[in-house]
């Protein structure tokens, strides 16, 4: 049975690693580690995008559109630009890496996430998720 938690007063079903097909990928594990305690709020976004990579061109188009709309909000402009800077690698990314980028973008676009974007410090969680995505996608795993 999936674990549940509350987010801004609403019940949220957490997605376990077993339920996510791409979760065995080491890049996803690195992303989860970097996200840290925000993972319960990020995992549902990841679950939404794990199957979308079947049509990479359509996925990319939607991703660019959502990020460009976010750039117009001053509080999120730099974070959106950080994710947009990763787009040239899209053609070379694995399905798991594409899923991470889409997840981070969706989390950034959502204003009522772990900490409402309108609350004091409300962009701190978004910053952490974007940093985690950048780190997971650009850094090689140390072995």
């Amino acid at each position: 049975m999936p674990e549940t938690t509350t987010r801004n007063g609403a019940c949220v079903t957490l997605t376990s690693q077993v339920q996510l097909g791409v979760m065995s990928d080491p890049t996803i594990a690195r992303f989860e580690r970097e996200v840290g305690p925000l993972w319960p709020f990020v995992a549902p976004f990841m679950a939404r995008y794990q199957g979308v990579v079947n049509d990479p061109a359509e996925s990319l188009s939607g991703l660019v559109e959502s990020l460009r709309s976010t750039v117009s909000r001053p509080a999120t402009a730099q974070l959106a630009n950080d994710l947009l800077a990763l787009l040239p690698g899209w053609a070379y990314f694995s399905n798991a890496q594409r899923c991470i980028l889409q997840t981070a973008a969706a989390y950034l676009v959502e204003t009522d996430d772990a900490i409402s974007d309108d609350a004091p410090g409300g962009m701190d969680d978004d910053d952490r998720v974007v940093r985690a995505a950048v780190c997971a996608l650009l850094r090689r795993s140390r072995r």
Side-chain angles (χ1 to χ4, degrees), residues 65-140:
E65 184 178 323
S66 67
L67 285 174
R68 289 210 171 121
S69 71
T70 306
V71 169
S72 64
R73 295 186 352 228
T76 59
Q78 182 58 53
L79 297 175
N81 282 325
D82 288 349
L83 294 176
L84 284 166
L86 296 171
L87 292 181
W90 182 264
Y92 307 100
F93 287 160
S94 68
N95 286 350
Q97 290 170 317
R98 289 176 181 159
C99 188
I100 289 171
L101 185 51
Q102 289 175 303
T103 297
Y107 192 89
L108 179 61
V109 169
E110 177 62 49
T111 58
D112 192 28
D113 42 38
I115 304 171
S116 175
D117 292 353
D118 298 326
M123 294 306 297
D124 293 349
D125 60 317
D126 297 82
D127 182 66
R128 183 169 187 152
V129 171
V130 170
R131 269 188 296 126
V134 170
C135 180
L137 296 174
L138 294 182
R139 289 188 185 160
R140 296 212 182 264

Side-chain angles (χ1 to χ4, degrees), residues 52-69:
V52 176
V53 294
N54 293 334
D55 186 352
E58 184 177 321
S59 299
L60 178 60
S61 173
L63 177 63
V64 170
E65 184 178 323
S66 67
L67 285 174
R68 289 210 171 121
S69 71

